[in-house]
Amino acid sequence: MGLPWPGLWLKRLWVLVQVAVEVATGKVLMTLFPERIKKNILAMGEKTGMTRNPQFSHDNWIPTFFSTQYFWFVLKVRWQRLEETAELGGLAPDCSVVCLSGEKCTIWDFMQGNRPLVLNFGSYFHPMADFLIIYIEEAHASDGWAFKNNVDIRQHQNLQDRMRAAHLLLAKSPQCPVVVDTMQNQSSQLYAALPERLYVLQEGRILYKGKPGPWNYNPEEVRAIPQL
């Protein structure tokens, strides 16, 4: 359940202090012990596959940690999690999304009978379940917390921007439907999906709730679900 507004703002203030302290501490440690901190960040990057991409060296992204843009992005993610309503075993939020044709629909429109529906707020295919990619706001927009040598996509100013960005993903031929979150970021907020996250829904309820990415984004956990 979401927090009442007075409690929410107090929580936000506390999270702001926490993130500020964490980023300031990280910046100091990066300055004093650069090699050790880089090694720790690289170890986390191995979980996401970033370190295995020959086109994307660690110099493209490690120096961006603890920057001002990093601070604002982490703060946004932490604040978003305060308003999460998706709970394991609970009713799945039926958020509005937009198909790339421009047609408006909801997440529940993609559920078929008792077949599990995997929500990927990122994509892989499984014949015993239905999949849906929900394209949300950019984690590393070129005018935000940007990585070097990354795709040049600016923060979405309107739905057309978001749909254009989603078409870049569609060009890679994902084997499932792709929709985009509304500009109110309803899906991203209620599922606390930023920057990426996996869920499995069945008959309107949350069968699996993955941990927030990128470090804890784990498709192998989804593959291990018996219902799949």
Side-chain angles (χ1 to χ4, degrees):
M1 294 293 292
L3 293 168
W5 279 106
L8 176 62
W9 281 104
L10 285 173
K11 285 277 190 179
R12 282 185 170 182
L13 180 60
W14 175 237
V15 169
L16 172 62
V17 172
Q18 285 181 310
V19 174
V21 170
E22 290 171 10
V23 172
T25 302
K27 200 168 189 66
V28 170
L29 292 175
M30 180 75 90
T31 302
L32 296 177
F33 311 105
E35 294 307 315
R36 178 176 295 182
I37 299 303
K38 287 179 182 178
K39 184 177 180 181
N40 290 341
I41 295 174
L42 278 171
M44 292 189 295
E46 288 176 359
K47 296 181 180 180
T48 69
M50 293 171 67
T51 58
R52 297 188 295 274
N53 185 344
Q55 305 298 321
F56 203 47
S57 74
H58 61 83
D59 290 331
N60 294 144
W61 53 281
I62 288 182
T64 70
F65 276 66
F66 313 120
S67 63
T68 302
Q69 293 82 2
Y70 171 92
F71 166 78
W72 286 115
F73 181 78
V74 172
L75 182 62
K76 180 194 294 186
V77 171
R78 299 277 186 88
W79 275 355
Q80 184 187 78
R81 290 175 190 169
L82 295 176
E83 300 185 64
E84 176 183 11
T85 63
E87 297 293 343
L88 185 63
L91 199 64
D94 188 23
C95 303
S96 297
V97 291
V98 182
C99 299
L100 298 191
S101 63
E103 179 184 358
K104 294 182 179 180
C105 51
T106 72
I107 290 174
W108 281 33
D109 289 336
F110 293 87
M111 286 195 285
Q112 301 183 42
N114 65 350
R115 284 171 60 87
L117 173 66
V118 180
L119 301 183
N120 193 347
F121 291 90
S123 127
Y124 65 87
F125 172 76
H126 194 293
M128 298 302 291
D130 300 307
F131 284 71
L132 178 66
I133 297 175
I134 302 178
Y135 200 106
I136 59 177
E137 59 184 302
E138 298 296 332
H140 300 290
S142 55
D143 56 345
W145 179 24
F147 290 169
K148 294 179 181 178
N149 200 31
N150 198 12
V151 178
D152 184 10
I153 302 176
R154 298 175 65 84
Q155 298 182 65
H156 312 144
Q157 300 301 313
N158 50 52
L159 188 61
Q160 288 69 35
D161 286 350
R162 185 160 291 176
M163 292 177 70
R164 277 193 292 270
H167 273 286
L168 296 177
L169 172 62
L170 198 65
K172 296 183 178 181
S173 302
Q175 300 181 59
C176 63
V178 177
V179 298
V180 300
D181 198 4
T182 64
M183 290 308 295
Q184 291 73 37
N185 300 313
Q186 184 188 35
S187 299
S188 177
Q189 178 177 304
L190 297 185
Y191 284 90
L194 191 67
E196 57 186 353
R197 201 165 191 176
L198 287 163
Y199 282 87
V200 178
L201 314 184
Q202 188 172 38
E203 297 183 314
R205 295 200 171 270
I206 297 173
L207 181 66
Y208 165 85
K209 177 181 178 180
K211 295 178 182 178
W215 317 125
N216 298 305
Y217 178 87
N218 191 353
E220 293 302 322
E221 288 185 354
V222 175
R223 292 190 178 99
I225 295 174
Q227 289 88 333
L228 299 183

